[in-house]
Amino acid sequence: MPTASSVLTATLFLFNVLIGCHGWTGSVLSRRQAFLASVSTGGAFLSLVTADSSPALAMDTSSVDTVQSSSRLLISTIPSMPYGAPATNSTIVDATLVENIETLASHLERLAQQRDNAISPLLTGNAWRLVYSNAPEIGSLADNLPPGFHLGKTYQPIDTAQGTFENRSPILVGNLAKIVISVVGDVQVAGPGTVNAVQVVNDRNNRVNVYFRGITFTLDEVFGIQKTWLSKTLIPNADKSRAQPANDVTYLDDKMRIIRGGDGSLFVFVLENDANVAPPTRSSTQTEAIAQKDGQTVDVGIGVAEKSQSPELQFLFQSR
Ligand SMILES: *[C@@H]1O[C@H](CO)[C@@H](O)[C@H](O)[C@H]1NC(C)=O
């Protein structure tokens, strides 16, 4: 357990970083932008642990032959993590458990053979919570938050009518403070036949293009007092040379969503029954307004601190 003073020191450090940086510009966009854009969380970090320390047995999925049994088994296999953070293949200690989760996800995708998820009304929802990912970026963040900082429940609200999404990751600083990192962007149904970064063709109308518009850091709770204490928005530099970030929604029902990122990374979301989770908090217009007011254009290097021009991201995601 971090001591109160180490938490406070780390918090103050972060606040200094948040307040103290201005005026970067840049031109080269890290590939991590694609992660932010394509994906889900804007950060899934945490420090350890499986729910169960006994080794799992490798799974034989041959008897799991319905979509329903397969999706239930997947959900029950993913461990709960401290602070409600998403499980990742870096933070689950048991390699067999990781393998079982990934095998079950692929099994479910194969069994269900879904199409037209890009235009499904089931996509829209606020309380889509990330429960598992193997994205290397997320995994690398998972072990690397500063001492005393913990990722909480990470949501990805989506509104397809409005064409917006948000990756909302609260970072809890002991009991002292909460910082929300929010990656906002637009979503759009991808054209038929498009090819993503790992050469998967969009032949099932499951692909959603993702346009990453900004990252906002908001200090919204200090000593239990909830208000916007501090907020800062970073606007990513566009990089036209990169493949269009896109997500394939490979499985979707009214409770679960499986996404493959543009690089094949796996993301499993569950739709929680929680009316308190807000919808995506901005429109493109709002983000542009912020950008013009005080937004700062930066190279974003989430997961690879040295590639980011953002001191906030460098602070949070440097190697430790
Ligand atoms: C997590 O899984 C991804 C995708 O298979 C892999 O690239 C990455 O190296 C894995 N990370 C760890 C820590 O095993």
Side-chain angles (χ1 to χ4, degrees):
M1 273 301 286
T3 64
S5 80
S6 73
V7 169
L8 191 58
T9 307
T11 309
L12 292 174
F13 180 29
L14 179 60
F15 297 170
N16 286 336
V17 169
L18 280 165
I19 295 163
C21 48
H22 295 285
W24 334 285
T25 56
S27 54
V28 183
L29 188 61
S30 154
R31 63 180 276 269
R32 300 310 186 207
Q33 187 202 340
F35 146 66
L36 280 169
S38 64
V39 177
S40 32
T41 112
F45 1 75
L46 136 137
S47 35
L48 63 169
V49 177
T50 60
D52 178 356
S53 58
S54 59
L57 296 172
M59 195 166 278
D60 173 8
T61 54
S62 56
S63 64
V64 186
D65 54 6
T66 68
V67 167
Q68 196 184 48
S69 60
S70 180
S71 64
R72 279 198 190 141
L73 189 55
L74 173 57
I75 288 302
S76 63
T77 302
I78 295 173
S80 301
M81 303 302 273
Y83 305 95
T88 71
N89 62 336
S90 311
T91 50
I92 294 175
V93 174
D94 179 352
T96 312
L97 181 54
V98 168
E99 196 186 317
N100 287 347
I101 292 167
E102 300 190 5
T103 301
L104 280 168
S106 305
H107 183 67
L108 176 56
E109 289 168 328
R110 265 197 309 274
L111 271 181
Q113 294 290 330
Q114 291 183 341
R115 295 182 166 273
D116 295 325
N117 285 339
I119 53 172
S120 170
L122 294 177
L123 268 185
T124 291
N126 297 334
W128 282 116
R129 182 158 77 90
L130 183 65
V131 293
Y132 180 79
S133 180
N134 70 7
E137 293 84 357
I138 294 181
S140 78
L141 303 184
D143 289 326
N144 278 339
L145 277 189
F149 287 61
H150 301 282
L151 180 69
K153 289 185 175 182
T154 293
Y155 289 99
Q156 186 184 63
I158 300 180
D159 181 340
T160 54
Q162 202 182 244
T164 57
F165 78 98
E166 179 176 349
N167 296 328
R168 191 181 295 147
S169 302
I171 295 183
L172 312 168
V173 191
N175 291 324
L176 302 179
K178 188 174 89 181
I179 297 156
V180 178
I181 300 182
S182 165
V183 178
V184 296
D186 299 325
V187 287
Q188 211 174 65
V189 177
T194 55
V195 177
N196 72 7
V198 288
Q199 307 305 311
V200 176
V201 178
N202 179 29
D203 56 2
R204 293 172 178 258
N205 198 22
N206 287 339
R207 184 162 299 166
V208 175
N209 285 339
V210 181
Y211 303 86
F212 169 46
R213 305 300 188 199
I215 308 179
T216 300
F217 298 83
T218 309
L219 177 60
D220 74 353
E221 188 175 320
V222 178
F223 298 121
I225 301 170
Q226 295 185 3
K227 67 170 197 177
T228 300
W229 292 83
L230 191 64
S231 181
K232 173 168 178 176
T233 297
L234 305 178
I235 306 296
N237 288 312
D239 183 350
K240 302 255 177 346
S241 69
R242 306 229 162 233
Q244 171 59 49
N247 289 333
D248 288 345
V249 186
T250 51
Y251 180 81
L252 181 64
D253 66 25
D254 59 357
K255 290 187 210 63
M256 198 202 307
R257 175 162 59 101
I258 299 179
I259 280 184
R260 298 285 173 174
D263 59 358
S265 301
L266 171 65
F267 301 85
V268 181
F269 293 86
V270 294
L271 187 61
E272 293 192 331
N273 186 11
D274 183 348
N276 293 321
V277 180
T281 53
R282 55 115 241 154
S283 64
S284 295
T285 329
Q286 283 166 330
T287 302
E288 269 154 35
I290 293 167
Q292 279 172 11
K293 191 167 136 272
D294 66 354
Q296 296 167 346
T297 309
V298 293
D299 295 343
V300 177
I302 286 231
V304 185
E306 65 278 14
K307 288 197 180 154
S308 174
Q309 293 180 327
S310 153
E312 296 86 350
L313 298 179
Q314 286 178 8
F315 170 69
L316 284 171
F317 306 134
Q318 67 192 263
S319 298
R320 291 191 167 79

